[in-house]
Amino acid sequence: MNQISSNRRIVCPQCGYDDNPFTANHCLNCSSRLRSQSADGGDRDSPSRRNSIPWSVIPLAGLLLVTLGLFVLWRNSQPPTPPSSQPLTSQADFPREWQLYNSLRDVPDVPEGVFLYGGAMASAALRAKNIQSEITRAHPKFRLLYTDPLNVPPDSGKGIEMTANGEISFSESFRPIQQSEYNIVRSRGYTLKQVPVALGGIAFYSHPGVKLSGISLGQIQEIYSGKITNWRQLGGSNLPIVPVSQDPDAKASTSFLLQGMPSSQRRFGKNVQIVRDTTSAIRKVAAMPGGIGYGAQALVVGQQTVEPLSLAKGRSRNYVPAAAPDGTVNQQALLDGSYPLIRRIFVVYREDGSLDEVAGRAYANLLLSTEGQKLVDRAGYVPIR
């Protein structure tokens, strides 16, 4: 006889009484606890019955899973945040993955092979033979070859582009990576890393015949936009001004020379002459009595054919000399922040797991070592540690 009768009664397992109502919990005859069952014979108090998930909960759980998935996709699609542009002043400021070494020889994981690199002309002093020979002496199988881009002048932007495209292993940049550059490489499945290794300034210089005590950034804007055309307007000699620029694209909209000007006025004067690099600019200015140009302090200070100009912020007359009294770069003005145009020099490389990444990281570590920072100082830049 089945426990559940045809008239939905329950048989007591203790005394056999078979007239207990289906809803009863205890036997009406002996008061023993009944195993209440469903109509199909299933145990109503079984764990599987108690732990089953109501069908009404399933749509809600599905909605939560879909929402979580959309959030993860959105998060992964966001561009990386560029590293901070604030100077690093002590070892505590460096990310944890960077360990600072004393000597060039102490730097580990320096790969063997020939590695192409490129980038800013402003960091050219770091590529001097006496600087590179120290790195070669410490790691003779780590060979570096500076590579110019084809058909266009070298600069920070072109170096970053060539690094992103895999044309070179890494580059040196006189400016931070731009957000648009991060976006491009992220769409390719990797990112770029920038590591600051030095500080440097941008110096303006003129032909020695100009006879000017100093110049402000506001006056420089008026010179390169064509508003001021004679040195006499600034208290100098009666000479036409010939501004020389080494902006590769000669685009006033992106040139630091005209930063801060209204977009409607941001255009170069007709008298601005474009040259390829700092060396060409110095030669051109030296050959023209009214010439003015610019370049990295490390490349300008000490030149015998041109005169570095003291520089003031805005339109003030608080001129700060580019050169120290001993004829070297005015590093103190860079360190105390009084010099108007200060830039950081970065080593830029791809983070893609390649040998190029290893080479870029090694080069940054070499320059950040104690000996490497002495090389930075010798090149005319300011060490950051």
Side-chain angles (χ1 to χ4, degrees), residues 81-224:
T81 301
S84 169
S85 60
Q86 295 301 314
L88 300 177
T89 57
S90 69
Q91 182 166 343
D93 292 324
F94 285 85
R96 289 186 177 181
E97 66 264 24
W98 289 92
Q99 179 180 346
L100 303 180
Y101 303 92
N102 288 322
S103 72
L104 295 171
R105 292 181 183 273
D106 289 339
V107 176
D109 303 322
V110 178
E112 298 180 3
V114 179
F115 299 93
L116 305 182
Y117 73 116
M121 283 300 300
S123 60
L126 286 176
R127 301 188 287 272
K129 289 184 179 180
N130 62 330
I131 303 296
Q132 292 299 308
S133 63
E134 296 292 333
I135 295 177
T136 301
R137 185 177 295 109
H139 300 277
K141 295 184 179 180
F142 181 55
R143 299 178 58 193
L144 299 175
L145 294 178
Y146 181 81
T147 304
D148 280 338
L150 294 175
N151 304 320
V152 295
D155 76 326
S156 297
K158 192 61 182 178
I160 292 173
E161 178 185 339
M162 293 173 69
T163 301
N165 292 338
E167 299 174 53
I168 54 179
S169 298
F170 59 88
S171 63
E172 296 167 344
S173 177
F174 217 59
R175 65 163 174 82
I177 302 172
Q178 297 175 351
Q179 187 64 55
S180 59
E181 292 164 337
Y182 275 110
N183 293 341
I184 290 174
V185 297
R186 187 175 179 84
S187 68
R188 301 174 183 174
Y190 54 89
T191 188
L192 293 173
K193 180 77 171 182
Q194 62 178 23
V195 182
V197 295
L199 292 177
I202 297 176
F204 283 81
Y205 54 89
S206 66
H207 187 281
V210 168
K211 305 297 182 183
L212 196 68
S213 59
I215 193 170
S216 71
L217 293 180
Q219 291 169 336
I220 287 172
Q221 287 185 339
E222 292 182 332
I223 287 174
Y224 278 86

Side-chain angles (χ1 to χ4, degrees), residues 199-203 297-298 300-302 308-311 319-342 377 380-382:
L199 292 177
I202 297 176
Q297 269 180 296
V300 172
V301 172
L309 295 170
S310 294
L311 199 59
Y319 302 122
V320 180
D326 63 356
T328 61
V329 170
N330 188 358
Q331 292 193 353
Q332 182 58 45
L334 295 175
L335 288 171
D336 62 25
S338 62
Y339 193 75
L341 285 175
I342 303 175
D377 181 71
Y381 304 102
V382 175

Side-chain angles (χ1 to χ4, degrees), residues 21 37 51 58 93 120 317 370 381:
Q37 296 178 334
N51 295 335
I58 293 178
D93 292 324
R317 294 186 178 181
T370 301
Y381 304 102

Side-chain angles (χ1 to χ4, degrees), residues 42-53:
D43 189 345
R44 292 189 303 178
D45 293 329
S46 67
S48 62
R49 180 77 175 179
R50 291 194 304 268
N51 295 335
S52 62
I53 300 175

